[in-house]
Amino acid sequence: MSDKHLSTQFDAELSGISTRVLEMGGLVEAQVAQAVNALTSFSGEIASVVLQTEERVNAMEVEIDRDLSSIIARRQPTARDLRLLIAISKTIANLERVGDEAARIARTVQRLINSGVSSRLRLPMSDLAFEADLAVALLRKALDAFARLDVEKALEVLKQDDQIDKEFDGLLRKLITYMMEDPRTISTSIDMVFVAKAIERVGDHAKNLAEVIIYVVKGTDVRHNTPEAVETMVR
């Protein structure tokens, strides 16, 4: 078999796996949106759908990881191809964790409903929904950057993650105010703190994906650096 034929097969395998990663990304993106919808609408049915989706996400991670191991063993890739395969492994791990955060929100919704908490209780649902919109949009941008191996778009993700952190801080202050003004909200407000933190972590995972993209394209590990420092490193 010619080297050219082997190379064509390898490229097809990489393309196939990348497509499945994007499919997994789309699934967890929808999962986060559904989890927040379950919270804002106080819907146990939607929360159950989120938890069912988690099983599919977990299965996809295992399947893609298995295929990655097979490709590495058979093809023994070097340089950028090896970086890409390592990056895909890190990407699916981050996506699986995004799914975990969505499932955590869904379980919180189920617990609140089962405990008899009123959906009319004063809580910053619109603020939580706004934070979630930011996180989902950031995840979508990171996946788009992955599809194109676009360093510029990855840099945008790194810069925009700070906005989600600020939203989380604002939500935390608002929830503390609610608890001080009305002790009846304490238990539920604490649950909302964990929901807000779960959403904030979705943004963190999007940032991780952006760092992985830069690693693939530039061969530079930019973790634990400010966005400004990363921009200087990759120029």
Side-chain angles (χ1 to χ4, degrees):
M1 186 177 293
S2 69
D3 289 343
K4 183 177 180 180
H5 186 55
L6 286 172
S7 177
T8 301
Q9 280 188 333
F10 184 36
D11 289 344
E13 288 176 339
L14 286 178
S15 177
I17 280 196
S18 295
T19 298
R20 287 160 60 200
V21 171
L22 292 172
E23 180 186 348
M24 183 180 176
L27 194 61
V28 298
E29 181 187 321
Q31 193 183 11
V32 174
Q34 283 181 317
V36 175
N37 185 19
L39 179 68
T40 56
S41 62
F42 235 57
S43 170
E45 290 79 9
I46 298 176
S48 295
V49 171
V50 173
L51 295 176
Q52 290 167 9
T53 304
E54 183 188 23
E55 297 177 7
R56 186 177 166 197
V57 170
N58 291 344
M60 289 187 77
E61 182 197 20
V62 171
E63 291 167 5
I64 295 172
D65 213 23
R66 181 192 61 217
D67 290 346
L68 283 173
S69 297
S70 174
I71 289 174
I72 291 171
R74 289 184 292 105
R75 302 296 187 189
Q76 298 181 341
T78 58
R80 180 166 169 166
D81 287 336
L82 181 58
R83 290 204 304 271
L84 177 59
L85 292 170
I86 292 170
I88 288 173
S89 180
K90 292 180 178 179
T91 295
I92 61 173
N94 275 283
L95 290 176
E96 190 274 333
R97 291 184 188 113
V98 171
D100 286 346
E101 301 301 344
R104 187 169 289 113
I105 295 170
R107 291 190 186 97
T108 299
V109 173
Q110 290 182 332
R111 186 171 64 253
L112 291 174
I113 292 172
N114 292 337
S115 66
V117 170
S118 172
S119 60
R120 294 186 297 274
L121 195 64
R122 186 187 176 205
L123 291 168
M125 292 301 190
S126 61
D127 299 82
L128 283 164
F130 180 67
E131 184 196 13
D133 286 344
L134 290 176
V136 169
L138 200 65
L139 179 62
R140 186 179 303 122
K141 180 173 282 190
L143 289 167
D144 189 40
F146 174 84
R148 294 170 170 77
L149 292 180
D150 187 333
V151 170
E152 291 301 322
K153 197 172 285 290
L155 283 170
E156 289 176 19
V157 172
L158 297 182
K159 293 174 183 176
Q160 291 171 5
D161 177 60
D162 186 53
Q163 188 179 0
I164 298 173
D165 295 339
K166 289 177 180 176
E167 284 297 321
F168 171 74
D169 291 341
L171 263 168
L172 191 58
R173 288 193 296 271
K174 186 171 285 190
L175 286 164
I176 290 171
T177 300
Y178 285 179
M179 288 186 275
M180 291 173 65
E181 291 178 349
D182 185 355
R184 292 175 302 172
T185 68
I186 290 175
S187 178
T188 307
S189 291
I190 290 172
D191 280 326
M192 293 303 101
V193 169
F194 287 113
V195 168
K197 186 62 180 176
I199 296 169
E200 190 260 345
R201 285 195 189 109
V202 172
D204 288 343
H205 289 303
K207 183 180 72 172
N208 291 346
L209 297 187
E211 291 171 346
V212 161
I213 292 158
I214 293 169
Y215 171 69
V216 172
V217 178
K218 297 292 186 177
T220 303
D221 190 339
V222 298
R223 290 176 295 177
H224 313 304
N225 285 282
T226 65
E228 294 75 20
V230 172
E231 193 164 16
T232 300
M233 293 166 71
V234 301
R235 294 305 183 193

